[in-house]
Amino acid sequence: MPPALAGGFQLITMKNIVFLFLLLQVNNLSAQFTGATLKASGLTCAMCSKAVFNALSSVPYVEKVQPDIQASTYQINFKSAANIDPDLMAKAVIDAGFSVAKLEMTGSFPETAIEKDGHVIWNNNVYHFVQSSVKTIKGKQTIRLVDKLFVSAKEQKSYAKLSSMRCYATGTRQSCCPTAGSSTSARIYHVIL
Amino acid sequence: MAGWLLYGTLTAQELYVFSEPASNMPAYSNGVKQSLKWLPNRPGKGRDVRSTTEWMYGVNKNWMVHGAVTFSDMYSSNFRWESWRLYSKYRFYSSDDLYRHFRMAAYAEVSTSANPLIYDELSMEGDQSGWQTGIILTQLLHKLAISGTAGFTQTFLQPDTIHHISVPPISREAFTYSLSAGYLILPRTYTSYDQTNLNLYCELLGQEGISSKRGFLDMAPALQLIFKSQFKLNLGYRFQLAGDMKRMAQQSWLLSTEWLFLRKIKGQGKK
């Protein structure tokens, strides 16, 4: 038995039972992310915006970037059928010398049940929904990433309140998480609808 | 898109003409800067010019290095090689918000120069061999960027006490400090990367010899044009407001051009 799972059994609470229930629901679903809207922070000038623009344009799965310099916002189109790793967009902005204030990704989703603190696996990436409303999504949807790389420091504090789970702080799978479909140190993207 | 692109970095209004901001250039990008400094009204000399060619590189998002070579006729009758220098800056704190940031960095610089130590003013910009270190704090508030530097400078040279006598003697160590402000004047509204930017700067630059207790405080206004978000042209004038240091000149002009080459970020395809 993996140590993380063994740890889970040491504390059999209602919460853990809920997770085990969720575990059964976690399947790797095939979704198609088509694009993103990214707002960068820490800059005001065209030179810096150009640096961010160029960095985002060089992300392998990015097809096209449409900048709004004044608003510090970038409309990003993804290449079709590309495997989207949102961390690469954050890394591009950070390496250019700035930060991401907001990242929303739009995609076309199969029918997916959304639970608070539930995990959804789309195209091998694990997404953890931190908000409480329970529903099912289907078709075109926009999700917002709320991990610390994708929000301001101030916002991060308020999102941290939505989930007491340690995986929000680390961005990787912790003993609090359902285990299916992810290895011990797997990246978990925390999102809201 | 080509692997190498001529695009700039940082926040324009903190690209100070006489000092460095706490922000760095983007990781893996290069810059080249060519500066000309000249001193007006020096008696007995037709011209006094220093040419500085500087290369800059962003090692990673927090660390950048500069290497520079200077040629001048300031300490000689003919125009000749004068100095080498190496500069390194590390950004150790960064807090970003929409249209604003606060950053802190530490720097160290070492230079080797052909010139003797005959003036109170210590400078690693070609004048003397030595080293310096310090801390930079920069705050960007939308169109205004304010930056402060506090540093320590030490020359490797011994003062030339035979030809240049001063009491107390020239201090081999000095505290340096600066306060800089930059304001983005044009464009009022950004619509494209091709718009020409105009930035206005005003900097205060000071120094105090630790043992001599002599010092100076300069003011340095400057204008900066940035074309197509890729090429910079700076013009600045520096003059002494107050001071009792023996200096080569109490005023100087600076003209510089700078190209920044932003590189496609390596390793993004890797997980």
Side-chain angles (χ1 to χ4, degrees), chain B residues 75-146:
Chain B
Y75 291 78
S76 57
S77 52
N78 58 322
F79 193 71
R80 56 156 175 110
W81 171 80
E82 183 187 44
S83 79
W84 295 101
R85 75 166 183 270
L86 212 58
Y87 173 95
S88 174
K89 180 171 70 175
Y90 189 81
R91 178 180 68 165
F92 60 86
Y93 180 82
S94 190
S95 168
D96 286 358
D97 221 326
L98 215 53
Y99 310 125
R100 59 175 59 203
H101 63 230
F102 176 65
R103 283 149 186 209
M104 292 195 276
Y107 67 92
E109 183 171 21
V110 62
S111 89
T112 174
S113 164
N115 301 327
L117 181 61
I118 54 175
Y119 297 107
D120 275 325
E121 180 179 3
L122 299 184
S123 164
M124 301 299 115
E125 287 168 10
D127 294 273
Q128 292 117 23
S129 300
W131 73 286
Q132 60 179 326
T133 183
I135 298 280
I136 311 168
L137 286 76
T138 302
Q139 173 76 59
L140 171 74
L141 296 161
H142 206 180
K143 292 187 173 187
L144 175 71
I146 297 166

Side-chain angles (χ1 to χ4, degrees), chain B:
Chain B
M1 209 177 285
W4 290 83
L5 287 169
L6 281 161
Y7 297 129
T9 168
L10 292 167
T11 294
Q13 55 272 37
E14 62 179 45
L15 298 169
Y16 303 109
V17 175
F18 292 92
S19 62
E20 277 281 325
S23 297
N24 280 348
M25 57 200 302
Y28 327 121
S29 57
N30 281 268
V32 177
K33 187 175 185 176
Q34 176 61 47
S35 309
L36 276 181
K37 177 183 175 177
W38 70 98
L39 313 174
N41 310 324
R42 278 195 79 206
K45 286 197 86 176
R47 61 168 189 188
D48 266 304
V49 180
R50 170 175 293 141
S51 159
T52 306
T53 306
E54 190 161 11
W55 164 78
M56 296 165 276
Y57 180 66
V59 180
N60 59 41
K61 66 185 160 69
N62 291 325
W63 182 29
M64 66 181 287
V65 290
H66 296 195
V69 57
T70 75
F71 294 85
S72 103
D73 60 1
M74 284 183 180
Y75 291 78
S76 57
S77 52
N78 58 322
F79 193 71
R80 56 156 175 110
W81 171 80
E82 183 187 44
S83 79
W84 295 101
R85 75 166 183 270
L86 212 58
Y87 173 95
S88 174
K89 180 171 70 175
Y90 189 81
R91 178 180 68 165
F92 60 86
Y93 180 82
S94 190
S95 168
D96 286 358
D97 221 326
L98 215 53
Y99 310 125
R100 59 175 59 203
H101 63 230
F102 176 65
R103 283 149 186 209
M104 292 195 276
Y107 67 92
E109 183 171 21
V110 62
S111 89
T112 174
S113 164
N115 301 327
L117 181 61
I118 54 175
Y119 297 107
D120 275 325
E121 180 179 3
L122 299 184
S123 164
M124 301 299 115
E125 287 168 10
D127 294 273
Q128 292 117 23
S129 300
W131 73 286
Q132 60 179 326
T133 183
I135 298 280
I136 311 168
L137 286 76
T138 302
Q139 173 76 59
L140 171 74
L141 296 161
H142 206 180
K143 292 187 173 187
L144 175 71
I146 297 166
S147 186
T149 306
F152 168 82
T153 302
Q154 183 182 48
T155 175
F156 299 140
L157 306 173
Q158 292 298 333
D160 176 356
T161 49
I162 296 163
H163 302 98
H164 300 271
I165 299 156
S166 57
V167 181
I170 292 173
S171 179
R172 295 180 60 236
E173 285 106 25
F175 291 122
T176 57
Y177 52 92
S178 68
L179 184 66
S180 308
Y183 193 78
L184 172 71
I185 304 225
L186 292 173
R188 303 295 292 265
T189 307
Y190 280 119
T191 51
S192 118
Y193 292 132
D194 291 339
Q195 286 171 303
T196 298
N197 284 28
L198 173 64
N199 294 306
L200 192 62
Y201 293 93
C202 191
E203 303 187 55
L204 293 170
L205 307 145
Q207 183 172 127
E208 169 136 339
I210 291 174
S211 63
S212 69
K213 304 288 180 208
R214 290 189 290 269
F216 69 80
L217 179 64
D218 286 355
M219 181 178 265
L223 279 174
Q224 179 177 65
L225 288 168
I226 303 176
F227 303 99
K228 293 190 178 275
S229 303
Q230 60 187 337
F231 172 72
K232 284 188 296 199
L233 184 65
N234 307 317
L235 179 66
Y237 177 63
R238 177 173 175 167
F239 59 97
Q240 183 168 301
L241 287 179
D244 56 0
M245 269 192 166
K246 192 178 164 213
R247 308 170 71 181
M248 176 174 272
Q250 295 188 358
Q251 48 195 306
S252 61
W253 287 88
L254 184 69
L255 179 69
S256 59
T257 56
E258 190 173 338
W259 294 263
L260 279 145
F261 305 89
L262 190 67
R263 194 175 182 176
K264 270 202 163 187
I265 291 167
K266 272 184 180 173
Q268 286 197 347
K270 289 178 227 154
K271 192 109 189 223

